[in-house]
Amino acid sequence: MEEVKYVKNGKKLGVVGGMGPAAAAEFLRQLAVKCPASIDQEHPVIYMLGDSEIPDRGAAIFGQGPSPALRLKQDLLQLCAMGADVLAVPCNTAHYFINEFVEELPVPLVHIIEETVLAAQKLSPEGVWMLSTKGTRASGLYQKVADKYHFTLYIPNEEQSDRVQEVINQVKANHFLQAGTIMKALVEELWQERDLPVMTACTELPLGYDASGLPQERSISSIGALADAVVRQLYDEVRL
């Protein structure tokens, strides 16, 4: 019987984090767990730039603060100069600005929006609830990709979106218990309206979901989807 083995292909990963720090740390944790490695040397080389001083992405989308585009581009190019062969940014809203210059980057970027939509469609072809920052929702980032794949997203109402934002704020402040409590009540309310999984389309939200005690199989994590896609870029399948 043919055996399949996954072998590190030598590509180095560059990660821009700090948006927020807990989300980037969780991305790296999941990446370590998901890599098909049994010793240190089988894990990929990762260059991590935790730039917590990147301007607020949501505020910029609404014209209430400076654009983070230049800083994001500088950080990504710095990682390329360090030797990164593949790039990842564990922040959904940042991709609104990354899309402006992504084709100018010298190496490929694993796009968190695309990967999360594809993962959601695989889990729940009939559609999902989209939980995100108000900036991501207003930008249409996810809606455009979902339309491309003929996939249905259901959007919480304004009051529910305020509570989603509060979950994000609590995670950024390291108040995980409070975040989980708010998330649990919100998601159970959404499930009363429409019994579909939730797509956590902001990288703070998977942490809030984890703290809620809700079933993991009912959510699609943008952090998890990005980590899975990155692993596919860094390992090759070898048939023995």
Side-chain angles (χ1 to χ4, degrees), residues 36-78:
S38 55
I39 57 173
D40 293 349
Q41 293 74 20
E42 291 176 353
H43 285 271
V45 172
I46 300 172
Y47 302 125
M48 170 69 182
L49 203 168
D51 190 354
S52 57
E53 296 183 352
I54 294 172
D56 186 272
R57 284 66 60 196
I61 286 174
F62 290 114
Q64 297 169 354
S67 170
L70 180 59
R71 183 98 174 213
L72 283 163
K73 186 176 182 179
Q74 289 172 339
D75 286 349
L76 288 164
L77 289 175
Q78 182 178 338

Side-chain angles (χ1 to χ4, degrees), residues 69 145 149 158 188:
V145 175
Y149 292 107
E158 199 64 34
E188 287 177 343

Side-chain angles (χ1 to χ4, degrees), residues 25 38 92 98-99 109 111 115 130 163 174 195-196 220:
S38 55
N92 288 271
I98 292 170
N99 285 347
L109 176 128
H111 203 288
E115 297 300 338
M130 184 183 91
R163 283 189 276 159
N174 291 322
D195 189 20
L196 290 170
I220 303 92

Side-chain angles (χ1 to χ4, degrees), residues 2-223:
E2 191 175 47
E3 183 183 349
V4 176
K5 186 178 180 182
Y6 293 91
V7 178
K8 185 172 77 170
N9 58 26
K11 291 179 182 177
K12 299 177 178 64
L13 175 66
V15 180
V16 176
M19 302 173 287
E26 175 63 12
F27 168 70
L28 292 177
R29 186 196 72 80
Q30 289 201 25
L31 193 59
V33 170
K34 291 171 183 281
C35 283
S38 55
I39 57 173
D40 293 349
Q41 293 74 20
E42 291 176 353
H43 285 271
V45 172
I46 300 172
Y47 302 125
M48 170 69 182
L49 203 168
D51 190 354
S52 57
E53 296 183 352
I54 294 172
D56 186 272
R57 284 66 60 196
I61 286 174
F62 290 114
Q64 297 169 354
S67 170
L70 180 59
R71 183 98 174 213
L72 283 163
K73 186 176 182 179
Q74 289 172 339
D75 286 349
L76 288 164
L77 289 175
Q78 182 178 338
L79 289 167
C80 294
M82 291 169 67
D85 303 295
V86 179
L87 299 168
V89 180
C91 172
N92 288 271
T93 315
H95 285 67
Y96 176 80
F97 302 95
I98 292 170
N99 285 347
E100 297 175 9
F101 59 80
V102 66
E103 293 182 1
E104 301 172 38
L105 296 173
V107 303
L109 176 128
V110 182
H111 203 288
I112 194 171
I113 314 290
E114 188 105 1
E115 297 300 338
T116 305
V117 168
L118 289 171
Q121 188 175 43
K122 184 176 181 181
L123 177 69
S124 178
E126 62 274 26
V128 293
W129 285 104
M130 184 183 91
L131 307 187
S132 72
T133 65
K134 289 193 171 185
T136 295
R137 184 185 69 176
S139 73
L141 278 168
Y142 268 91
Q143 295 91 320
K144 289 171 188 171
V145 175
D147 286 347
K148 182 171 81 169
Y149 292 107
H150 308 290
F151 184 57
T152 303
L153 301 178
Y154 294 92
I155 313 295
N157 64 34
E158 199 64 34
E159 186 274 332
Q160 291 164 339
S161 294
D162 287 339
R163 283 189 276 159
V164 173
Q165 188 62 53
E166 185 57 25
V167 173
I168 295 166
N169 296 343
Q170 294 292 341
V171 170
K172 284 183 180 292
N174 291 322
H175 299 155
F176 296 101
L177 181 61
Q178 294 93 320
T181 299
I182 299 165
M183 176 69 90
K184 186 174 191 295
L186 170 64
V187 171
E188 287 177 343
E189 180 180 307
L190 293 174
W191 285 344
Q192 288 295 317
E193 293 181 37
R194 194 180 296 272
D195 189 20
L196 290 170
V198 294
M199 181 178 70
T200 49
C202 165
T203 49
E204 271 73 44
L205 292 174
L207 294 165
Y209 192 93
D210 288 348
S212 73
L214 293 166
Q216 288 294 328
E217 66 272 14
R218 304 288 327 270
S219 86
I220 303 92
S221 163
S222 55
I223 293 178

